[in-house]
Amino acid sequence: MKRERRLNGHQVRHCRPAQRRQIHPVQCLDQGADRGGELSVLHHRSERRRGGGAGLVAGASQGEGLGNKFLAHIRETDATAHVVRCFVDDDIIHVAGGVDPLRDIEVINTELALADLESVTKALDRAAKLARAGDKAAIARQGMLQRVQAHLNKGDAVRSLDLDAEERLSLRELHLITAKPALFIANVDEKGLAGNELVERVKGFAAKEKAEVVIVCAAIEAEIAQLDDADKAVFLADLGLEEPGLNRVIRTAYKLLGLQTYFTAGVQEVRAWTVKVGATGPQAAGVIHTDFERGFIRAEVIAYDDYIQYKGEAGAKEAGRWRLEGKEYIVQEGDVMHFRFNV
């Protein structure tokens, strides 16, 4: 006879959930937790600098730079993050001769829109042929694609077009880059951490695109990355910062991708797992192993704050904060969970 089993965590790490300020899932992600979504980071090739990844350049949709290979990679992601320069420094030369974040954004957006336009035009041709044969679904799809095509012809991102849920669902098969959620990372100098005129221009543009903006100083982040935890805390305090900018980037990316974190905790180890917001108990268990979802019985759950306040499972049980949840339970950010299953 098969016995009911409980799952404990697998990896030593104590992290806080995504919205909490002190510790961020970046630590958990670095330990290899399942991500549940992918974020593609786009760099404009605007500066002469040491190192760094390849940038997207004008003409990419026609094969310039990494061209179609790079665009194909972006299509496979769930969201995009566009790093844009928002500081002036004569020692870091901009290839265009001056700093203008909106111009840099336009270069990227134009290439992405042209790539999407090619996909939409092909789909529209196919829909038009079926529509001429009297296919009612094709007639409706043709009208929707014509709206998308006109929007892209203006250089606007598909995400900013007013489409209903069914229309957006039907567009998924095209893997349109400009339909993906977007994040603009405004790279500033130390003086611009609280914002500046260039950042405000990016925020204004992002609002029209239904995109998010996060301010980061890459130079400071590079220094933080070299410090141990104790020195990092002192460094941040000296700058008047509560957390590294990378934390804000990841927190916003989680929001864009619709992700949240739950934990499994054993006597010796804790592990963070990433699931979609709205995931049920069985779906969360399935992130660990499909057998756990298939044989799910119920989940032992402790809210994160309760787990910390009462110093673990035993204290939470004694305080009446431990509970059993069934298959319909919707996982909450930071839940500490043990799964009971039988396969």
Side-chain angles (χ1 to χ4, degrees):
M1 179 177 178
K2 295 178 181 178
R3 293 182 298 174
E4 187 174 280
R5 291 179 283 173
R6 299 172 74 239
L7 171 75
N8 285 327
H10 301 286
Q11 192 162 355
V12 178
R13 175 59 72 178
H14 192 128
C15 298
R16 291 175 182 263
Q19 79 267 32
R20 300 185 187 279
R21 194 178 290 268
Q22 295 88 339
I23 305 177
H24 195 273
V26 61
Q27 289 96 340
C28 302
L29 292 175
D30 286 344
Q31 293 296 320
D34 294 331
R35 295 168 188 261
E38 184 177 353
L39 186 73
S40 181
V41 181
L42 309 177
H43 298 270
H44 182 269
R45 196 178 66 182
S46 61
E47 307 159 12
R48 296 179 184 174
R49 58 190 176 188
R50 295 181 182 177
L56 192 63
V57 300
S61 61
Q62 302 302 317
E64 291 294 327
L66 291 177
N68 293 329
K69 180 179 179 181
F70 191 52
L71 292 171
H73 170 72
I74 300 172
R75 289 192 190 283
E76 296 174 0
T77 65
D78 300 299
T80 60
H82 183 175
V83 182
V84 58
R85 178 174 170 178
C86 291
F87 67 93
V88 177
D89 187 335
D90 293 337
D91 292 330
I92 304 177
I93 302 170
H94 196 296
V95 295
V99 177
D100 183 346
L102 296 191
R103 177 201 57 216
D104 294 346
I105 290 172
E106 184 178 356
V107 169
I108 297 288
N109 280 9
T110 296
E111 296 306 320
L112 299 183
L114 287 171
D116 281 352
L117 187 59
E118 182 178 357
S119 298
V120 170
T121 300
K122 291 179 181 178
L124 184 55
D125 289 342
R126 293 193 295 270
K129 291 179 182 179
L130 294 173
R132 286 194 292 271
D135 188 314
K136 292 183 179 180
I139 293 172
R141 182 171 173 80
Q142 181 183 25
M144 182 267 292
L145 289 172
Q146 286 172 337
R147 289 168 53 210
V148 174
Q149 185 185 57
H151 196 69
L152 287 167
N153 271 323
K154 295 186 294 183
D156 294 329
V158 175
R159 78 180 70 88
S160 66
L161 181 61
D162 187 18
L163 296 170
D164 61 35
E166 185 176 343
E167 289 173 325
R168 291 194 178 278
L169 183 62
S170 71
L171 281 177
R172 284 187 182 178
E173 65 184 54
L174 300 181
H175 303 288
L176 301 180
I177 301 170
T178 67
K180 301 178 186 296
L183 164 64
F184 290 100
I185 302 173
N187 182 21
V188 301
D189 55 19
E190 186 175 332
K191 296 180 295 184
L193 282 171
N196 59 34
E197 187 269 335
L198 296 175
V199 172
E200 291 306 311
R201 290 164 63 184
V202 173
K203 286 183 176 179
F205 179 86
K208 297 176 184 177
E209 285 239 335
K210 299 180 181 179
E212 300 281 345
V213 177
V214 175
I215 301 174
V216 168
C217 177
I220 290 177
E221 295 301 310
E223 292 187 56
I224 291 173
Q226 304 301 317
L227 302 175
D228 59 31
D229 289 343
D231 289 339
K232 189 180 298 183
V234 173
F235 184 74
L236 289 170
D238 288 344
L239 292 171
L241 301 175
E242 296 182 350
E243 62 180 354
L246 181 59
N247 287 18
R248 296 192 298 276
V249 172
I250 294 178
R251 190 160 50 242
T252 306
Y254 261 53
K255 177 183 175 182
L256 278 179
L257 295 167
L259 300 177
Q260 63 181 356
T261 303
Y262 80 88
F263 301 96
T264 53
V267 176
Q268 297 180 333
E269 53 195 12
V270 173
R271 180 163 179 173
W273 304 88
T274 303
V275 294
K276 287 286 188 180
V277 173
T280 62
Q283 289 170 336
V287 171
I288 301 172
H289 197 286
T290 54
D291 282 351
F292 301 157
E293 180 174 7
R294 182 163 55 90
F296 180 92
I297 298 175
R298 49 190 170 271
E300 303 173 17
V301 182
I302 304 171
Y304 176 83
D305 288 337
D306 292 335
Y307 193 89
I308 297 301
Q309 180 179 348
Y310 299 108
K311 304 185 185 305
E313 182 178 339
K317 279 185 174 180
E318 187 177 338
R321 308 306 295 176
W322 174 95
R323 64 188 190 276
L324 283 174
E325 298 287 357
K327 294 182 178 180
E328 303 303 317
Y329 176 67
I330 303 300
V331 176
Q332 301 299 306
E333 175 70 45
D335 277 350
V336 181
M337 308 179 76
H338 290 293
F339 297 108
R340 297 181 181 182
F341 66 100
N342 189 357
V343 290

